[in-house]
């Protein structure tokens, strides 16, 4: 079980949240990149080891979106949102 620190509700069980995915670069303009770059953007999902910035929605709580840094090797929250632990 992972405890996610919500700046409004405090530390809460991960079951209250919905994973929104990693924070990624802005979507490229499909008309400004090559076909190969566009296909890579659409099909290759990053899967890094170590700290990753992620979005989580507190669906069963305050309803806010949070951005946290989580270590993918240990699931430890390495940086919490402002206002939380």
């Amino acid at each position: 079980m992972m405890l996610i620190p919500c700046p409004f509700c405090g530390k809460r069980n991960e079951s209250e949240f919905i994973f929104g995915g990693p924070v990624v670069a802005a979507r490229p303009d499909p008309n400004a990149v090559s076909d190969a770059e566009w296909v890579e953007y659409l099909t290759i999902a990053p899967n890094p080891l170590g700290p990753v910035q992620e979005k989580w929605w507190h669906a069963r709580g305050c309803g806010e979106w949070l951005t946290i840094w989580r270590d993918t090797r240990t699931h430890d929250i390495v940086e919490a949102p402002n206002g939380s632990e």
Side-chain angles (χ1 to χ4, degrees), residues 2-76:
M2 189 168 56
L3 292 177
I4 298 176
C6 176
F8 305 103
C9 306
K11 287 187 178 181
R12 311 300 277 188
N13 186 301
E14 69 181 295
S15 65
E16 293 185 13
F17 293 85
I18 295 176
F19 180 65
V23 175
V24 295
R27 179 182 171 148
D29 179 358
N31 299 312
V33 297
S34 70
D35 288 345
E37 290 171 318
W38 182 243
V39 168
E40 182 175 334
Y41 171 78
L42 293 174
T43 60
I44 305 298
N47 190 18
L49 283 176
V52 175
Q53 191 176 21
E54 299 175 330
K55 298 176 285 187
W56 289 81
W57 178 38
H58 198 178
R60 293 178 187 93
C62 62
E64 292 293 321
W65 279 93
L66 313 174
T67 301
I68 63 171
W69 282 90
R70 181 180 64 86
D71 191 319
T72 59
R73 296 169 294 196
T74 62
H75 295 291
D76 290 337

